[in-house]
Amino acid sequence: MSDLQQEIQPKGAKIKGNKPVNQLEAANRFIAASAHQQMHDQRLWDLRKKRDAQMHLIPEWEELRDLASDIKSHTLDHLADYLEEFERNAKANGVHVHWAKDAQESNQIIAGILKEHDAKNLVKSKSMLGEECLLRQHLEEEGVTVIETDLGERIQQLDKEDPSHVVVPAVHKSRTDVSKVFVKTLNAEEGNNDVHYLATTQRETTRPYILNADAGMTGANFLVAETGAVVVCTNEGNADLSANTPPLHIVTVGIEKIIPKMEHLAVFIRLLSRSALGSPITQYTSYFSGPRKGGEMHVVLVDNGRSTRLASHKFKAGLKCIRCGACMNTCPVFRRSGGLSYGSVYAGPIGLILSPTYNVHKYRNLPFASTLNGSCTNVCPVKINLHEQIFAWRETLAEEKELSLSKRIIMTSLGKLFAHPKAYRMAVQTGDKLLSYLPHFMVYNQLNTWGRQRDIPTPPKETFHSWYAKNYMKKGKADE
Amino acid sequence: MEVGLFIPCYMDALEPEVGISTLKLLERFDVNVTYPFDQTCCGQPMTNTGCHKEAEETEKLFVKNFSSFDYIVMPSGSCTNQVRHHFDAIQQTDEVLHVRKNTYDLVEFLHDILKVASFPWANFSHKVAIHYNCNALRGLRHASMSERREPFFSKPKDLLSKVKGIEFVELERPDECCGFGGTFSIFEEGVSAKMGQDKVMDQHRSGAEYVVSADSSCLMHQKGCAMRMGVDLKYAHIAQILNGDLS
């Protein structure tokens, strides 16, 4: 058996109430499962490569990114107007429109609609907003059976795990891991790791739920204000089944997903799937402009912290996100850490900037899970300044006293040392003294974290400073 | 042309030979190089950790040391990026703005300002993989990046191409971060080391004998990983090659 078959899939971050998530601890466990880590890194890097290939096929790629970014910025500046325009047009199409200020209100509205229709079985298409609002958990407490219809999301539901990626929710699992979950939950054949078998097993067990469902739920990739329509992009067609088979279609969507006109939709459709999976377009790009004959359609427009973010000058641009996951695929930290290590709904670079807006204390460590390398900013199809916001979050965390004590102490003393040349020179001595200085300078804290997996540089005989003093001061070249 | 030379703190303490190569290289051209004696650090460790206030005095000291020069040159893209883009903790006086505007990384200075045409004293007959520091690559635009649809360019490669004997090899992931990331390498050690190990393996597979970069900080991390892994690769700063100190 290969390593990947034998190795147990690492679990995500340990969540302890409101305590800061220790992303690094979970990332280290993920890295320790080396077969899984390598598979994860390679799968996502392959997506990044496919995305690059698509990019090179579109000569106007950078112009498209500019255009998409400008459309989103404009829309955010006039968000209320476009949302009202959407509401008017959707209502005219016969759609019921609801407004939810937070997750709780959204969940209550949806539970209310289901109750009104005496709907006990709900099939849903993957929705990050649903995850954000803990919708499934809420509805299950209300006695509603909720079945995920997206393959990856269904795997995660059956394994009682969160999605680890916004586009490919089970990307951290091997075929063997999926097989094990299906053996336990779907009565699948033991040891059968064939992808077609596994996909068919899932489909055949999920189809009856779809056929018997009282209601279907989808998210939305875009809302078009001009037409009052909802656009959903999937590769499995499961959103279409969820929307069209049962008589009731409920859409939940974050208010930032709106765009003004149909002509703008073309820009985003060209960027979305290319950025996400490196395919020109999703297999299904479905446009729901009203209820089907004899059916009912509801759209729940959810705020859940978005208007607060809109008012924040530093972090507003995060609302431009179209959830393509390109920033995750390119992120070298995400690829090594696995999405579940972030312990938040949104992982990777976008998670680093969104998560603290939901709970600054709980997610205070996340903005440090980055090298600020800037790759995310440059793949982002809507040009979110991701790494600059990660950088800005660190300052905000320091201002809000959410920096860990060790970081605070080290940085305060380093700041003082670097501000005083004489004290600094005393600290940086050559030879033996440099070695004793190293633990403070490079390693800072009690554990020698540099040296655990890396050799420590051999201290030179003298510093540049003393070399210069010896060789140039005599020549009168130094300034003192 | 009066040039103030800044030698980053880690380079001063750990890799003085790179500072020496830089100084001597600059002196080969028609510039008057001075090393202000009271210099310490650019403030990056504090700023990157969010501690901007704690960086304020360090930034002030830097400006005091360097504001009288026409250009401030340093063999580090990362520190240049800090001065140019992040010196925000202090009041933005004319002096501060002068320093920010005229601070150049060695590669930029040779390539864009001096427009050096040749390095006749240098010879380096080795297979070389270039490592781009992320701050230099995406912050200073040392080279085109694989994320963007743009024509290929590389200032370090342009300069190195003028050295006799060099043969370039390509990496599978040419501009993936190596995981050093300043204090990231200390505070997030596990992920940092893994990224470094993967980088070293990519370099190893490329057939490179040397990895050359405009930043010693990344190289220190990669070299530390390579040595621990027992991978036979040599690491050199671009100043050492361009000045002909290695062959």
Side-chain angles (χ1 to χ4, degrees):
Chain A
M1 285 217 292
S2 76
D3 291 348
L4 202 51
Q5 283 171 305
Q6 283 176 323
E7 192 178 81
I8 292 164
Q9 183 222 312
K11 290 292 170 187
K14 293 166 187 154
I15 306 296
K16 296 170 195 158
N18 201 39
K19 282 197 178 150
V21 174
N22 189 348
Q23 191 266 346
L24 185 63
E25 180 275 328
N28 285 342
R29 276 191 283 112
F30 192 72
I31 289 169
S34 59
H36 277 82
Q37 189 278 321
Q38 272 179 43
M39 171 199 75
H40 189 256
D41 174 60
Q42 198 55 50
R43 278 181 178 174
L44 295 171
W45 183 254
D46 286 347
L47 291 182
R48 165 69 213 276
K49 280 199 293 190
K50 284 184 187 167
R51 171 254 175 220
D52 292 354
Q54 285 296 325
M55 167 184 77
H56 286 292
L57 291 173
I58 310 284
E60 68 276 24
W61 182 261
E62 298 301 331
E63 285 82 358
L64 267 182
R65 287 178 70 222
D66 284 332
L67 194 54
S69 173
D70 291 347
I71 295 167
K72 278 284 177 183
S73 295
H74 165 86
T75 313
L76 289 175
D77 288 341
H78 304 87
L79 191 63
D81 297 339
Y82 285 119
L83 285 167
E84 281 169 15
E85 187 186 343
F86 172 83
E87 184 186 32
R88 271 197 310 276
N89 291 325
K91 278 183 173 169
N93 295 341
V95 178
H96 301 266
V97 179
H98 311 259
W99 300 81
K101 69 172 189 299
D102 55 22
Q104 199 192 352
E105 201 171 280
S106 173
N107 292 343
Q108 280 167 358
I109 289 168
I110 294 158
I113 300 168
L114 293 173
K115 206 166 186 183
E116 212 175 281
H117 290 78
D118 198 26
K120 294 278 177 216
N121 300 297
L122 177 76
V123 284
K124 78 181 272 293
S125 161
K126 175 166 178 282
S127 146
M128 291 309 293
L129 181 67
E131 300 292 335
E132 193 185 308
C133 297
L134 298 174
L135 173 68
R136 204 167 63 212
Q137 291 84 330
H138 180 88
L139 292 180
E140 280 167 357
E141 280 165 22
E142 300 269 319
V144 178
T145 305
V146 183
I147 302 293
E148 297 288 346
T149 58
D150 171 274
L151 172 59
E153 188 70 12
R154 179 71 177 145
I155 294 167
Q156 292 307 95
Q157 181 186 21
L158 291 170
D159 203 22
K160 297 184 169 55
E161 243 185 7
D162 294 328
S164 74
H165 186 288
V166 297
V167 176
V168 271
V171 69
H172 60 293
K173 278 186 164 68
S174 69
R175 282 188 282 162
T176 309
D177 299 331
V178 174
S179 164
K180 282 180 192 163
V181 173
F182 284 4
V183 167
K184 234 193 307 180
T185 55
L186 300 182
N187 207 18
E189 208 176 288
E190 196 143 350
N192 192 339
N193 294 352
D194 179 70
V195 279
H196 295 290
Y197 169 73
L198 294 171
T200 308
T201 302
Q202 189 273 156
R203 190 170 63 223
E204 283 175 359
T205 52
T206 307
R207 278 290 152 92
Y209 288 108
I210 297 173
L211 294 171
N212 297 318
D214 306 310
M217 168 168 281
T218 65
N221 293 83
F222 306 100
L223 299 173
V224 186
E226 182 185 37
T227 60
V230 171
V231 181
V232 186
C233 306
T234 67
N235 279 309
E236 297 169 30
N238 58 309
D240 305 75
L241 286 172
S242 304
N244 291 325
T245 315
L248 175 63
H249 177 198
I250 305 171
V251 179
T252 53
V253 57
I255 52 173
E256 83 283 14
K257 291 288 184 73
I258 196 151
I259 53 171
K261 290 175 186 298
M262 280 299 284
E263 66 194 62
H264 302 138
L265 186 58
V267 174
F268 293 101
I269 296 297
R270 291 186 78 192
L271 287 166
L272 180 68
S273 192
R274 287 187 168 94
S275 298
L277 301 166
S279 59
I281 194 166
T282 43
Q283 298 296 320
Y284 300 86
T285 300
S286 304
Y287 182 85
F288 300 101
S289 57
R292 66 183 170 98
K293 262 187 197 161
E296 229 176 78
M297 180 171 166
H298 293 253
V299 175
V300 187
L301 301 165
V302 185
D303 185 320
N304 204 31
R306 284 158 175 79
S307 48
T308 313
R309 219 178 294 148
L310 189 64
S312 143
H313 171 68
K314 280 196 213 169
F315 304 118
K316 178 182 168 183
L319 288 169
K320 294 185 341 189
C321 179
I322 58 171
R323 308 282 190 262
C324 68
C327 63
M328 302 166 137
N329 301 346
T330 203
C331 178
V333 176
F334 178 87
R335 272 187 268 111
R336 269 90 186 170
S337 309
L340 296 176
S341 75
Y342 294 75
S344 63
V345 175
Y346 302 104
I350 189 68
L352 303 190
I353 65 169
L354 292 185
S355 302
T357 65
Y358 294 106
N359 186 336
V360 73
H361 181 66
K362 189 170 178 179
Y363 301 118
R364 70 180 200 171
N365 292 328
L366 296 192
F368 292 95
S370 163
T371 62
L372 301 175
N373 64 73
S375 184
C376 46
T377 299
N378 290 287
V379 288
C380 178
V382 290
K383 299 187 89 164
I384 299 171
N385 57 338
L386 284 146
H387 77 292
E388 288 169 8
Q389 286 193 47
I390 296 169
F391 181 80
W393 259 116
R394 295 181 183 182
E395 185 179 15
T396 302
L397 288 165
E399 283 165 2
E400 294 189 9
K401 308 263 179 281
E402 286 290 354
L403 214 59
S404 71
L405 190 63
S406 65
K407 281 192 178 109
R408 170 75 72 190
I409 291 170
I410 291 158
M411 293 309 150
T412 304
S413 46
L414 269 186
K416 282 186 184 143
L417 192 66
F418 288 139
H420 298 94
K422 288 206 172 72
Y424 172 72
R425 281 295 142 205
M426 295 270 283
V428 189
Q429 296 291 341
T430 52
D432 292 347
K433 282 187 182 166
L434 182 64
L435 269 177
S436 64
Y437 162 71
L438 261 176
H440 299 283
F441 176 67
M442 292 191 48
V443 183
Y444 305 127
N445 48 26
Q446 65 278 26
L447 294 166
N448 183 348
T449 53
W450 178 277
R452 271 172 48 183
Q453 297 187 69
R454 289 165 289 216
D455 277 11
I456 293 175
T458 320
K461 283 201 232 49
E462 58 184 353
T463 62
F464 176 83
H465 195 83
S466 54
W467 174 87
Y468 189 87
K470 248 188 250 166
N471 294 278
Y472 276 71
M473 299 274 282
K474 280 181 227 152
K475 292 190 215 164
K477 276 201 175 187
D479 65 347
E480 66 171 67
Chain B
M1 192 191 282
E2 295 291 331
V3 169
L5 175 66
F6 175 74
I7 299 298
C9 50
Y10 64 87
M11 188 181 279
D12 173 54
L14 297 167
E15 295 191 306
E17 67 278 8
V18 178
I20 295 167
S21 296
T22 304
L23 173 63
K24 291 187 168 170
L25 179 61
L26 286 171
E27 284 183 335
R28 290 177 186 269
F29 306 101
D30 190 22
V31 296
N32 192 12
V33 188
T34 307
Y35 168 80
F37 222 55
D38 273 349
Q39 59 180 274
T40 57
C41 167
C42 66
Q44 195 175 180
M46 291 84 82
T47 308
N48 274 9
T49 313
C51 297
H52 293 240
K53 277 198 194 99
E54 285 77 359
E56 196 178 334
E57 294 302 316
T58 306
E59 290 179 18
K60 273 186 195 162
L61 177 67
F62 187 97
V63 172
K64 191 177 147 207
N65 277 323
F66 288 101
S67 60
S68 64
F69 295 98
D70 299 325
Y71 292 100
I72 299 103
V73 179
M74 52 184 80
S76 164
S78 170
C79 304
T80 305
N81 189 59
Q82 165 70 11
V83 175
R84 193 180 294 169
H85 296 136
H86 296 309
F87 257 33
D88 294 319
I90 42 175
Q91 205 192 334
Q92 300 297 299
T93 61
D94 288 347
E95 281 183 326
V96 174
L97 294 174
H98 169 82
V99 165
R100 291 180 70 159
K101 187 165 169 264
N102 293 292
T103 292
Y104 284 83
D105 154 71
L106 177 67
V107 166
E108 294 177 311
F109 188 69
L110 298 172
H111 190 276
D112 301 346
I113 305 297
L114 298 182
K115 302 187 193 326
V116 175
S118 65
F119 301 91
W121 49 81
N123 190 330
F124 198 68
S125 298
H126 295 284
K127 286 184 180 170
V128 165
I130 297 179
H131 171 73
Y132 296 101
N133 167 294
C134 296
N135 285 321
L137 179 74
R138 302 188 185 89
L140 307 181
R141 303 305 319 270
H142 262 196
S144 52
M145 53 181 112
S146 60
E147 294 90 6
R148 286 215 201 158
R149 197 178 196 287
E150 58 186 359
F152 175 83
F153 70 95
S154 166
K155 294 176 186 180
K157 197 170 183 179
D158 277 358
L159 294 174
L160 288 168
S161 304
K162 302 181 197 323
V163 173
K164 281 187 293 287
I166 279 197
E167 187 188 330
F168 295 103
V169 295
E170 298 302 324
L171 301 179
E172 279 170 44
R173 302 180 185 187
D175 51 16
E176 171 140 315
C177 175
C178 71
F180 172 68
T183 55
F184 181 85
S185 63
I186 309 291
F187 291 127
E188 315 267 330
E189 179 260 343
V191 183
S192 170
K194 180 64 188 151
M195 287 166 70
Q197 289 158 6
D198 288 353
K199 193 79 198 177
V200 167
M201 288 316 292
D202 192 1
Q203 293 161 347
H204 181 59
R205 280 192 301 268
S206 75
E209 295 166 66
Y210 271 87
V211 176
V212 176
S213 176
D215 272 81
S216 285
S217 52
C218 308
L219 294 187
M220 191 164 69
H221 162 68
Q222 292 167 27
K223 190 174 166 182
C225 290
M227 283 170 75
R228 184 64 59 89
M229 293 159 77
V231 172
D232 183 24
L233 264 171
K234 297 185 198 71
Y235 292 84
H237 191 279
I238 193 167
Q240 296 172 290
I241 313 291
L242 298 181
N243 196 47
D245 292 330
L246 298 173
S247 57

